[in-house]
Amino acid sequence: MNQLSLNPSEIVGKYADIGAGKTKRALRPLILLGVLAGVLIALGCSATNTAVYGMQDVWTARMVLGLLFPFGLGMVVLMGAELFTGNSLIVISVLEKKCSVGAMLRSWGIVYAANFAGALLVAAGCVYFGQLQYSGGQLALYTMRCALAKCTMPFANAFVMGFFCNVLVCLGVLMAMVSTDAASRIIAAFLPVCYFVISGFEHCVANMYYIPAGLMAKTVPAYAQLAAQAGLDLSQLTVSRFLAGNLLPVTLGNILGGAAIGALMWYCHRTKQ
């Protein structure tokens, strides 16, 4: 078999089997691989924040973010970690009747919680063990500003930005299956994720780092003082705004976007028309 040999129909068939396998994974490895995915995405968020916090030009910052962040998904793909957004494609397995809706929802719920746990671990480590202290705490200030912007985004905006995000993420997951060698898989996954990051779309697992890191930084007196000195009003940076105002609509948008691209690919490329 050539390295670049799978056509869209074969990709759909292959993912139908992979997705069904995900729903049958034992609880302990499912949790651990979910935590791993959350950690990998959160580490990507931490790295990209560190790379751009001193940039004033938005265009330059978004380009740098777009070039760096996709390697988080690349690590997830290569390590076989369980990422909630990519697992929206298990809809393909349901449509192929290789797993049940209940099995899919069980997998989604466990992986979502595990991703959240992994992202929170990284956020806590970065905030409370000094990673945000760059430039006298300016990285912490940037982290709080980023979290605040996400918490004050209108519900509809967060939903639609979440939808577009996961259309691209799931395309990246499917495109990575075209190849059998690591470099080609990373490149295939890289491009769609690069698009979503440059465009500023919303990814629920990434936000499990971005916003909690800002919330935690707010509790550090030195960082809170920096925010006050910069005139940053943190009154809207709250747990309730995070959960109901951002995470909920972004998660719903991610689910719909991933399920939509999965259903579209299945309908158009399934082997039995």
Side-chain angles (χ1 to χ4, degrees), residues 109-266:
I110 294 168
V111 169
Y112 189 87
N115 288 172
F116 208 161
L120 288 176
L121 285 172
V122 176
C126 289
V127 173
Y128 297 123
F129 294 89
Q131 198 270 333
L132 300 188
Q133 291 177 3
Y134 277 92
S135 303
Q138 290 302 304
L139 176 54
L141 183 61
Y142 175 87
T143 300
M144 290 183 287
R145 184 176 286 116
C146 176
L148 179 62
K150 289 178 178 292
C151 281
T152 54
M153 182 180 295
F155 190 99
N157 292 26
F159 176 83
V160 174
M161 294 301 99
F163 177 90
F164 288 148
C165 167
N166 215 30
V167 167
L168 289 167
V169 169
C170 288
L171 281 173
V173 171
L174 291 174
M175 288 167 61
M177 295 171 60
V178 172
S179 176
T180 57
D181 71 286
S184 297
R185 294 183 72 193
I186 290 176
I187 292 170
F190 177 93
L191 292 173
V193 178
C194 179
Y195 286 0
F196 109 64
V197 176
I198 290 174
S199 298
F201 298 150
E202 294 285 310
H203 187 274
C204 66
V205 180
N207 286 357
M208 291 171 185
Y209 170 85
Y210 285 129
I211 303 178
L215 285 164
M216 293 175 192
K218 178 183 173 182
T219 69
V220 177
Y223 298 156
Q225 184 178 3
L226 281 175
Q229 292 171 350
L232 190 62
D233 181 6
L234 299 179
S235 62
Q236 295 298 307
L237 181 54
T238 64
V239 173
S240 61
R241 289 290 305 175
F242 163 45
L243 296 176
N246 182 274
L247 194 60
L248 175 61
V250 170
T251 299
L252 293 174
N254 286 168
I255 291 172
L256 185 59
I261 197 66
L264 174 66
M265 292 294 292
W266 173 82

Side-chain angles (χ1 to χ4, degrees), residues 22 24-36 82 106 110-111 114:
K22 288 176 177 289
K24 297 180 177 70
R25 197 186 294 275
L27 179 61
R28 186 174 298 175
L30 186 62
I31 292 173
L32 292 174
L33 290 172
V35 171
L36 175 61
E82 293 283 350
R106 170 190 173 274
I110 294 168
V111 169

